[in-house]
Amino acid sequence: MKQEVQVYSLFTEFDISLFRSGKHYRLYEKFGAHLITHEGQDGVYFSVWAPSAKLVSVIGDFNYWNIDDHPLNVRWDESGIWEGFIPGAKKGDKYKFRIVSNYNGEILEKADPYALRCEHPPNTASIVWELGYKWKDKKFMSRREEVNALDKPYSVYEVHLGSWRKNTLENRSLTYLEMADELVSYVKEMEFTHVEFMPIMEFPYDPSWGYQLTGYFAPTSRFGDPQEFMQLLDAFHKAGIGVILDWVPSHFPEDKHGLGKFDGSHLYEHPDPRKGYHQDWKSLIFNYGRNEVRSFLISNAVFWLDKYHIDGLRVDAVASMLYLDYSREDGEWEPNAEGGRENLDAISFIKDLNTEVYSSFQGVQTIAEESTSFPKVSRPVSHGGLGFGMKWMMGWMHDTLEYFKKDPIHRRYHQNDITFSMTYTFTENFVLPLSHDEVVYGKKSLLGRMPGDDWQRFANLRLMYSYMYTHPGAKLLFMGAELGQYAEWNYNTSLDWHLLEQDSHYGIKKALTDLNILYKKQPALYDNQFSEEGFEWISFDDNQNSVISYLRKGTSEKEILAVVCNFTPTVLKEYSIGLPKKGKLKEIFNSDDTKYGGSGVTNEAIKIEKEAFHGKEFSAKITVPPLATVVFKLT
């Protein structure tokens, strides 16, 4: 039986004006389902954007999913917003919007785009919820600006929550609350400064790893409710660890309950398939030129920073947003109004996003996963940039992995592969990523790429990590990298924790822990990590020995490290390196140390002589261990 939906609105005329101009960045305070008391009655205010709808009603537990009971009222201002107050609806009720399209009378049942909680997949209903929570992270939030600063250590442990560790007795993933204990203590033990979650927003299909979202404002129900997710975040902050979320504004799936053809029209996606459909991912692309869609996306980014105290957003697939011809052949794309291949609407959207984030939240970072040479990705919008804080260094990742898979006997012919990154490393604020994408789809695990016998493979892996941590830039490692896994990552199974019972695998974990400690304790590794003042070559052209050496320098003249990497299994004795001043060399890290599973070729304190070498006034003779990185402090 049709019931009265009371006229009520959370929108002011100013809200409507901002929304329609693409400048409303707090839409989650207006759209969706909100528990309120109206005229003495408890209930829920519902609102949804569906400008091409002929009729919108709310169906749910409170009306036994009767399609006729609660039709919403369309606003008079042509905003396309349908809204109303339903007395008696309550927290925990499941619901959807039933939409009758104006186009052809098509009937759609859609989840709420602004739902705060969703049903556990494969069920698809939204759930009335509220986000009340008493945060306990005041201390962390007060110093977050320092924790997240570009001149501070930034080492990230990338995690897929569903497969990090399983409850073996019940054959299930850990809950948010279990992770608040086990995952937090582990990341703390490993000495990472940050954790990054692959997408936790609700998604229907496990094999997508979370990159095909349907519930943009809801943490996935797979591991618990929103407040339990907040407890996990709180626990990380209590441990002094920042939290980054993967965020996906580049595309969304075609699932019937999702955003696709939401009101029968191309509402969220671009109507032209050349701009609105991803052929690679079989998904839809947001219409970045539509103001209301821009408001939706930027509001979503702001939501996680505002309501969940998130410290950073890693923005997925930025390259696919920037270029109209991304993964398209000639004839499958149309140039922009200026005749170019850039997606001008997407670029404008990205600039608006970063401008809002950095102006509204102190101490956060946005990080671009961007694989092209698009200029100034991590430069401020005011300086002609896209406005991201950092950018993934995909070129470094590719060149490094290609180099390390070569037999050491051939590396002398590929010295440029390992040195080339330094020709452009200071053009952006780069993150060095060894992410989940590098250990799937037949690429092999990182250990599996390494050549040689078992000893050499583990030595190569320690060498690569040590080179990574002494190279300028922030660091990111995908879970399992610290275990030296033999197998590729599988989203459906736990990491191979049993490997830590073997000394060689435990040595990898110990080496990475110590590299994180080294990174934190040595200002020379982070003070100028995005500035050319922080790096100086000692020698990049000793290809006969496959050795590179360089200085890392802090803001203080006293903070200087010398790093030597030997990419062959040959021990080099009496190896000379040029140095900038007198004093002594003190070895502070050596990936060949026996505690890591190495051969134990180390150096005692070495006197620096006044003998010119490598174009420098002073020099020293060192022993270079096999397949290893050794780090000295100039004292």
Side-chain angles (χ1 to χ4, degrees):
M1 181 179 177
K2 190 172 183 179
Q3 297 181 19
E4 185 70 26
V5 175
Q6 297 181 18
V7 176
Y8 185 86
S9 183
L10 290 178
F11 289 91
T12 65
E13 289 187 21
F14 185 56
D15 287 323
I16 299 299
S17 174
L18 288 175
F19 175 52
R20 299 182 73 176
S21 64
K23 298 296 183 182
H24 200 311
Y25 303 146
R26 301 294 188 279
L27 288 178
Y28 52 89
E29 296 175 350
K30 309 294 178 178
F31 278 118
H34 296 267
L35 291 158
I36 64 168
T37 301
H38 175 53
E39 295 182 349
Q41 290 182 297
D42 293 335
V44 177
Y45 164 77
F46 292 94
S47 60
V48 65
W49 179 50
S52 294
K54 180 165 62 176
L55 175 68
V56 177
S57 58
V58 187
I59 53 176
D61 291 342
F62 42 82
N63 60 19
Y64 304 100
W65 300 85
N66 190 316
I67 62 173
D68 298 317
D69 276 5
H70 290 107
L72 294 178
N73 306 299
V74 65
R75 287 183 63 90
W76 54 271
D77 52 18
E78 299 184 349
S79 62
I81 296 172
W82 298 73
E83 61 184 351
F85 172 72
I86 301 179
K90 61 187 184 303
K91 178 179 176 180
D93 281 345
K94 298 168 187 173
Y95 70 100
K96 283 186 176 180
F97 293 114
R98 182 180 184 272
I99 299 171
V100 180
S101 176
N102 241 333
Y103 279 114
N104 54 12
E106 183 180 7
I107 298 173
L108 307 135
E109 291 187 1
K110 294 289 188 176
D112 182 357
Y114 292 84
L116 301 177
R117 187 178 178 187
C118 301
E119 276 193 294
H120 192 302
N123 296 324
T124 58
S126 304
I127 301 175
V128 176
W129 207 252
E130 47 80 32
L131 295 181
Y133 179 76
K134 188 174 182 180
W135 289 92
K136 306 175 186 68
D137 62 350
K138 185 177 180 180
K139 181 179 178 181
F140 178 89
M141 296 295 282
S142 69
R143 56 184 291 269
R144 181 170 71 174
E145 196 165 6
E146 178 183 358
V147 173
N148 262 2
L150 295 177
D151 60 353
K152 291 293 186 291
Y154 208 94
S155 62
V156 183
Y157 187 63
E158 185 191 23
V159 176
H160 177 262
L161 291 180
S163 60
W164 178 71
R165 181 178 287 167
K166 298 280 189 177
N167 181 314
T168 53
L169 292 178
E170 301 176 22
N171 191 30
R172 62 167 175 80
S173 301
L174 301 184
T175 66
Y176 290 132
L177 296 183
E178 288 169 334
M179 284 184 270
D181 177 24
E182 297 183 36
L183 178 58
V184 172
S185 61
Y186 183 77
V187 175
K188 183 74 171 176
E189 173 197 339
M190 288 294 301
E191 298 283 350
F192 284 97
T193 65
H194 291 74
V195 68
E196 178 177 321
F197 297 149
M198 291 166 68
I200 55 84
M201 302 81 180
E202 195 61 81
F203 60 99
Y205 187 51
D206 285 350
S208 78
W209 311 336
Y211 290 96
Q212 300 270 13
L213 305 180
T214 51
Y216 271 77
F217 290 81
T220 180
S221 55
R222 287 167 174 83
F223 316 117
D225 66 34
Q227 278 73 16
E228 289 167 339
F229 182 55
M230 290 174 174
Q231 288 184 60
L232 172 60
L233 303 176
D234 227 352
F236 271 114
H237 283 176
K238 184 178 180 181
I241 297 165
V243 181
I244 305 162
L245 296 187
D246 274 12
W247 184 58
V248 191
S250 48
H251 63 115
F252 58 94
E254 295 183 281
D255 294 63
K256 288 184 177 180
H257 68 286
L259 297 178
K261 296 196 78 173
F262 189 81
D263 61 357
S265 71
H266 297 286
L267 192 61
Y268 288 91
E269 68 272 24
H270 199 287
D272 184 343
R274 293 174 296 179
K275 298 179 182 179
Y277 186 74
H278 261 304
Q279 300 172 101
D280 290 354
W281 304 323
K282 310 301 181 194
S283 57
L284 302 171
I285 303 171
F286 284 103
N287 185 352
Y288 305 109
R290 188 162 193 169
N291 288 336
E292 295 90 342
V293 174
R294 294 163 73 103
S295 284
F296 169 80
L297 285 171
I298 297 177
S299 290
N300 185 242
V302 167
F303 170 81
W304 294 103
L305 303 172
D306 177 17
K307 297 299 184 181
Y308 282 88
H309 292 200
I310 294 302
D311 308 298
L313 296 171
R314 176 267 196 186
V315 183
D316 184 61
V318 171
S320 74
M321 300 168 65
L322 294 177
Y323 295 103
L324 296 166
D325 64 345
Y326 180 86
S327 197
R328 296 181 188 273
E329 303 294 334
D330 289 345
E332 295 178 344
W333 64 282
E334 184 179 50
N336 63 35
E338 300 173 2
R341 53 194 282 257
E342 296 80 12
N343 187 331
L344 301 180
D345 288 334
I347 291 169
S348 171
F349 157 73
I350 289 169
K351 290 180 177 181
D352 284 354
L353 163 73
N354 285 317
T355 298
E356 172 60 23
V357 166
Y358 281 100
S359 64
S360 295
F361 298 93
Q362 279 195 321
V364 301
Q365 295 289 354
T366 59
I367 305 164
E369 188 227 357
E370 204 283 311
S371 55
T372 75
S373 57
F374 194 94
K376 297 185 178 182
V377 171
S378 58
R379 297 295 180 257
V381 173
S382 59
H383 289 66
L386 289 182
F388 288 100
M390 287 179 269
K391 170 184 170 174
W392 276 21
M393 197 176 190
M394 309 298 280
W396 171 89
M397 176 273 296
H398 177 269
D399 291 347
T400 297
L401 292 176
E402 280 295 306
Y403 179 84
F404 267 90
K405 76 178 186 182
K406 291 178 171 63
D407 189 296
I409 199 170
H410 301 304
R411 288 176 179 172
R412 68 176 63 186
Y413 306 112
H414 301 276
Q415 186 91 343
N416 186 59
D417 289 353
I418 206 69
T419 61
F420 181 68
S421 62
M422 291 311 307
T423 65
Y424 65 94
T425 195
F426 300 117
T427 60
E428 301 277 3
N429 300 333
F430 279 120
V431 178
L432 312 184
L434 292 173
S435 74
H436 65 274
D437 276 330
E438 309 318 314
V439 290
V440 289
Y441 297 145
K443 296 177 184 176
K444 299 184 179 180
S445 68
L446 295 181
L447 181 67
R449 296 171 185 235
M450 300 299 157
D453 58 23
D454 269 0
W455 188 90
Q456 289 194 17
R457 292 168 73 196
F458 281 95
N460 267 303
L461 193 58
R462 296 192 304 270
L463 165 59
M464 184 174 72
Y465 292 157
S466 306
Y467 160 67
M468 172 186 185
Y469 268 77
T470 55
H471 188 290
K475 331 294 176 188
L476 179 137
L477 280 162
F478 182 53
M479 65 182 199
E482 76 280 16
L483 307 182
Q485 294 217 152
Y486 291 112
E488 289 188 346
W489 169 58
N490 183 340
Y491 74 91
N492 211 22
T493 62
S494 172
L495 297 182
D496 295 332
W497 293 102
H498 63 276
L499 293 176
L500 292 178
E501 298 170 8
Q502 303 174 35
D503 290 344
S504 54
H505 294 273
Y506 183 80
I508 297 290
K509 179 175 180 287
K510 174 63 176 168
L512 263 175
T513 302
D514 287 356
L515 284 167
N516 275 323
I517 293 172
L518 181 76
Y519 185 29
K520 288 179 176 180
K521 285 190 173 181
Q522 300 299 328
L525 293 177
Y526 61 78
D527 272 354
N528 295 309
Q529 62 187 334
F530 301 118
S531 166
E532 58 188 11
E533 282 79 18
F535 179 90
E536 182 180 337
W537 280 114
I538 296 174
S539 171
F540 58 83
D541 56 1
D542 185 8
N543 59 305
Q544 289 305 306
N545 289 306
S546 294
V547 171
I548 60 173
S549 51
Y550 44 89
L551 301 175
R552 293 299 312 276
K553 298 182 285 186
T555 51
S556 166
E557 292 183 1
K558 296 180 180 180
E559 296 294 342
I560 301 178
L561 302 180
V563 181
V564 184
C565 300
N566 178 7
F567 298 107
T568 75
T570 303
V571 178
L572 301 174
K573 297 182 178 180
E574 297 289 302
Y575 187 86
S576 295
I577 56 171
L579 295 164
K581 64 179 184 179
K582 286 185 69 174
K584 289 185 178 181
L585 287 180
K586 179 184 178 183
E587 185 179 282
I588 60 173
F589 179 84
N590 186 330
S591 68
D592 190 50
D593 199 303
T594 55
K595 64 185 175 182
Y596 307 135
S599 61
V601 176
T602 58
N603 293 267
E604 301 297 328
I606 298 169
K607 185 178 180 181
I608 300 172
E609 305 290 348
K610 188 172 173 50
E611 185 174 335
F613 199 69
H614 286 142
K616 293 177 171 54
E617 191 175 351
F618 305 93
S619 63
K621 294 183 183 297
I622 64 172
T623 299
V624 187
L627 289 173
T629 297
V630 59
V631 182
F632 299 96
K633 187 157 190 174
L634 277 67
T635 64

